[in-house]
Amino acid sequence: MTTSTADLPDLLAAGAVTGADAPLLTFHDDATGERTTLSAAQLGGWAARTTGLLRDGCGLGPGSRAAVLLPPHWQTAAVLLGAWAAGVSVSFRGWATAGLPQVGPGADEPLDASFVARHRVDNWLDNPPEATHRFVLGLGPVGGPPAEPPAGYRDFLTEVGRYPDSLPPYAAVRRSDAASVDGTSYRQWGEVARGVAEACGLRRGDRILVDAATHEEPVTWLLAPLAVGASVVVCANLDPDRVDERIAAEQITRVL
């Protein structure tokens, strides 16, 4: 991250490039037809709600730990940015590592919260970790009635909607604080994000097309673009026959 995550508006720096109301993160699902576009202000609002859920709803903050078992999606971006703004360190567990034991510093320590995609709950390939507060995502569209959440989980969209879309005046998160459960700091993740952006040739003002199936790690589809002030179009179930159409319709300048 380029700044402390307490400075969420600074992290969403693309708003300064394209305008606060211009698209920052667009999500497509070619299998369902879903298309959601968020500006910097809107994404910041969802992230702020997530921060409120964690801080005020769950009593979590710096030193707390959360697992994120979610695919590339605008709601995943809100969860990650909201957790980091709350000072909560994150263990991101992609589908590619489903069912594999977690290794490394802090891997066996208890978790305070988890955010799990519906298709990964009770999936025989996966083993979502135990946590004090468990939220499930993917039960239904925003604004629609969700399905009944699995036992032991709460519906993320229902819960997060109870909180305001602006960050409360919490204490600043230090750049030396751990952003991930292995102890990697916000400053270090910022350096990684800028390195990925440079390696991919991402530039300020770019609009980047990302295939969700091949770029699961948030440092690629979220942090690297934000670090340079680019906007992102994330496509799930990308139809190879529609790539050129997507590039033209979304005014894509880079493809990952």
Side-chain angles (χ1 to χ4, degrees), residues 123-249:
N123 188 298
W124 69 275
L125 283 174
D126 209 355
N127 185 28
E130 291 296 325
T132 305
H133 305 277
R134 297 192 293 174
F135 301 96
V136 62
L137 288 82
L139 293 180
V142 176
E148 185 69 21
Y153 287 84
R154 289 182 283 165
D155 175 49
F156 169 72
L157 284 179
T158 299
E159 297 299 323
V160 82
R162 309 179 196 278
Y163 296 90
D165 61 358
S166 57
L167 280 176
Y170 296 133
V173 177
R174 298 173 299 178
R175 297 181 184 182
S176 59
D177 288 345
S180 51
V181 298
D182 63 0
T184 304
S185 69
Y186 293 108
R187 178 185 293 110
Q188 290 169 319
W189 274 117
E191 293 169 354
V192 171
R194 289 189 294 273
V196 170
E198 182 177 355
C200 295
L202 307 185
R203 298 289 183 269
R204 188 177 180 88
D206 271 341
R207 187 148 173 81
I208 303 158
L209 178 65
V210 178
D211 184 349
T214 58
H215 294 287
E216 192 177 23
E217 290 295 327
V219 70
T220 302
W221 65 266
L222 178 64
L223 296 186
L226 291 182
V228 297
S231 62
V232 188
V233 179
V234 176
C235 290
N237 302 300
L238 181 60
D239 184 345
D241 295 329
R242 299 187 63 188
V243 172
D244 290 342
E245 173 189 336
R246 187 79 70 226
I247 289 172

Side-chain angles (χ1 to χ4, degrees), residues 4-12 41 43-56 78 81-87 163-173:
S4 163
T5 49
D7 301 322
L8 191 56
D10 291 337
L11 179 64
L12 301 177
L43 180 56
W46 280 104
R49 291 185 181 100
T50 304
T51 299
L53 171 64
L54 291 171
R55 292 293 295 259
D56 299 330
L81 296 175
W84 285 323
Y163 296 90
D165 61 358
S166 57
L167 280 176
Y170 296 133
V173 177

Side-chain angles (χ1 to χ4, degrees), residues 18 22-28 35-38 202-210 229-234 246-247 249-255:
T18 60
L24 174 62
L25 175 60
T26 298
F27 175 78
H28 282 277
R35 183 184 188 277
T36 300
T37 295
L38 298 178
L202 307 185
R203 298 289 183 269
R204 188 177 180 88
D206 271 341
R207 187 148 173 81
I208 303 158
L209 178 65
V210 178
S231 62
V232 188
V233 179
V234 176
R246 187 79 70 226
I247 289 172
E250 297 289 351
Q251 299 181 318
I252 300 297
T253 63
R254 300 273 178 176
V255 178

